[in-house]
Amino acid sequence: MKKGMTRREWINRSATLFGGSLLGAVTGVKSINAATINSLSNKPVRMMLNENPYGPSQIARRAMRKAFGESNLYSMRGAKAEFKELMAKLNGVTPAHIAVGFGSGEILKKSALMNGIDKGELLSPSLTFETINRYAKTMKSNVKRIPMKNDIGIDLNRMNENINRRTKMIYLCNPNNPTGMLMNTDDLESFCLQVSSKAILFVDEAYHEYVTDPNYRSMIDLVKSGKNVIVSRTASKVHGLAGLRVGFAISTPQIVKRLESYLTDSLNIVGLRAAIASYQDKRFQTHSVDMNNKAKKVVADYLDTKGIQYLDSQTNFMFIKTDIDISDFQPAMEKYGVLVGRPFPPFTNWCRLSMAKPEQMQKFNDGFGKVLS
Ligand SMILES: Cc1ncc(COP(=O)(O)O)c(C=O)c1O
């Protein structure tokens, strides 16, 4: 302690210096000052990657801090087994039905790899999440894109008509990204039942936890009855753990075994412990979904007053027909402190808007109002 300083002054000064140098170590900023604090609080709001603005939960954070102490050990094998047990229990299957990936992105890519090794063609809607399509092309597979229906829904009849001898995998994202829309569950189920003897059905349920439609059912029941179906889920969305990369597949033990032989096993103990804690934290999940619904309402109410079209979203994002080219809309909104989603051609006068906290959504409404005027 410096001479002439009270104990309180010394503690405050040390805390400032320590905080400043810690922040410096993390961000590269030499010292913290008012301008820095200001610029941090004026950061544009992220409404572009379908993240959870509340994550990770306090319980997940505690589990992560505890996991730091395990980081010198190869303890992720045990944690992976624990995670599988938990996912099996929560979904009414056995651990042999679960494959854990480095995010569900890895599950998508390794499924495309499997399809490529089998020299299969992939069938996929023309407007959907692109990871599996891109990776299938990397694997030199033909990817047949099926146009959307007039309401921008997935056209299952047309998908059915386009199945041929070479089709070995069909990708369906439910709810779909970027539309946020669900397929009719009965239609989807009968489609899967009809075609799963000809090809593997990959049903991407990344946004499963956000769905509020009472008629929705996961396709996990088809896995339970032994059908050729892969359902993927992720800890990146409602659990708010996108940066930790934990996702998983639920499929038949045969498909899981094959998928696992391709996975890179790049899981880490902090991510796994966080996911194990978060999937048991029902309060956080409910809170995230409630806040997401409130955020969507803030935007929907505004769009309704303006007569602007948007789709019925069962996810944490909305697809909005702004009637402004997204290449103009994106930078214009950034000027008003809002980062919106990328272009989804050919829907270039639409914008995919991810939900932030309800109180932040006014910033989008205000910015949009200014862009419109
Ligand atoms: C439909 C869909 N599937 C999968 C993913 C990949 O998520 P992750 O790899 O983080 O699990 C995303 C991410 O945005 C997505 O929107």
Side-chain angles (χ1 to χ4, degrees):
M1 190 166 24
K2 231 175 158 185
K3 241 184 163 171
M5 259 184 174
T6 64
R7 188 162 190 83
R8 179 179 291 263
E9 280 169 346
W10 182 80
I11 289 170
N12 284 345
R13 194 178 131 84
S14 305
T16 310
L17 284 173
F18 177 68
S21 62
L22 187 67
L23 188 80
V26 173
T27 62
V29 176
K30 281 262 175 336
S31 68
I32 191 150
N33 55 36
T36 311
I37 291 167
N38 224 5
S39 73
L40 286 175
S41 61
N42 283 337
K43 272 197 314 193
V45 187
R46 294 169 69 88
M47 301 192 198
M48 77 298 197
L49 289 176
N50 308 340
E51 299 151 335
N52 180 348
Y54 296 97
S57 78
Q58 290 308 320
I59 290 177
R61 282 168 206 251
R62 213 173 304 139
M64 284 154 74
R65 283 193 291 271
K66 220 168 140 202
F68 294 160
E70 268 187 272
S71 304
N72 58 323
L73 308 176
Y74 289 110
S75 54
M76 65 283 176
R77 287 184 199 150
K80 184 169 88 172
E82 238 180 87
F83 182 70
K84 276 191 181 196
E85 288 272 351
L86 180 63
M87 292 311 105
K89 196 171 131 206
L90 292 176
N91 294 289
V93 292
T94 73
H97 287 84
I98 310 283
V100 191
F102 194 58
S104 60
E106 194 192 11
I107 301 288
L108 284 157
K109 287 181 177 174
K110 295 301 150 66
S111 299
L113 177 100
M114 184 161 83
N115 187 54
I117 290 171
D118 292 344
K119 304 209 177 328
E121 182 173 277
L122 174 74
L123 217 57
S124 184
S126 63
L127 182 67
T128 196
F129 189 63
E130 287 300 321
T131 296
I132 198 167
N133 305 319
R134 284 204 202 105
Y135 210 73
K137 281 192 196 146
T138 306
M139 292 306 301
K140 312 268 184 256
S141 294
N142 185 36
V143 182
K144 200 186 241 182
R145 307 301 294 263
I146 308 301
M148 310 307 284
K149 293 191 292 190
N150 286 341
D151 66 357
I152 327 186
I154 294 174
D155 195 337
L156 290 175
N157 290 335
R158 219 151 154 189
M159 285 243 158
N160 210 344
E161 286 159 16
N162 278 278
I163 296 172
N164 62 40
R165 269 184 310 107
R166 294 182 305 279
T167 315
K168 297 233 164 97
M169 194 169 283
I170 301 169
Y171 176 66
L172 295 170
C173 186
N174 196 44
N176 196 15
N177 180 2
T179 64
M181 291 196 319
L182 275 179
M183 280 171 270
N184 174 289
T185 298
D186 291 338
D187 293 350
L188 174 60
E189 207 169 65
S190 52
F191 174 79
C192 293
L193 281 170
Q194 217 181 326
V195 305
S196 62
S197 54
K198 301 179 205 157
I200 296 176
L201 271 139
F202 191 113
V203 187
D204 185 335
E205 296 184 356
Y207 300 94
H208 163 81
E209 296 89 344
Y210 284 108
V211 176
T212 53
D213 184 331
N215 298 317
Y216 164 78
R217 290 189 306 277
S218 162
M219 288 301 117
I220 290 179
D221 280 347
L222 298 181
V223 174
K224 289 182 196 166
S225 59
K227 299 287 179 283
N228 269 331
V229 173
I230 301 174
V231 170
S232 67
R233 298 272 182 85
T234 179
S236 300
K237 303 301 172 183
V238 84
H239 295 282
L241 299 174
L244 292 179
R245 317 303 304 127
V246 181
F248 64 101
I250 304 175
S251 191
T252 62
Q254 295 87 325
I255 294 177
V256 161
K257 207 164 174 194
R258 193 162 170 218
L259 256 184
E260 280 195 322
S261 70
Y262 304 134
L263 296 172
T264 49
D265 239 350
S266 33
L267 299 165
N268 71 86
I269 190 65
V270 178
L272 284 168
R273 290 278 175 233
I276 290 167
S278 191
Y279 273 89
Q280 296 174 91
D281 186 355
K282 288 284 170 229
R283 261 181 70 185
F284 176 73
Q285 292 167 51
T286 306
H287 180 255
S288 297
V289 173
D290 287 349
M291 289 299 131
N292 180 62
N293 290 336
K294 284 198 173 116
K296 282 197 288 193
K297 189 167 181 323
V298 173
V299 179
D301 285 350
Y302 174 74
L303 298 176
D304 288 344
T305 62
K306 293 273 174 193
I308 292 166
Q309 189 192 346
Y310 57 94
L311 301 182
D312 174 24
S313 164
Q314 294 286 312
T315 61
N316 64 346
F317 53 86
M318 292 169 74
F319 205 40
I320 302 167
K321 189 165 186 279
T322 59
D323 275 330
I324 300 167
D325 198 289
I326 188 70
S327 59
D328 297 324
F329 191 68
Q330 229 175 6
M333 288 305 294
E334 188 168 351
K335 226 174 78 191
Y336 297 118
V338 176
L339 303 173
V340 301
R342 68 168 178 86
F344 289 91
F347 295 85
T348 47
N349 58 349
W350 289 69
C351 166
R352 189 191 68 187
L353 183 74
S354 310
M355 294 304 109
K357 297 177 180 174
E359 63 272 21
Q360 293 172 312
M361 298 318 296
Q362 193 54 42
K363 201 161 178 171
F364 169 78
N365 293 351
D366 292 345
F368 191 14
K370 285 179 193 148
V371 173
L372 285 174
S373 62

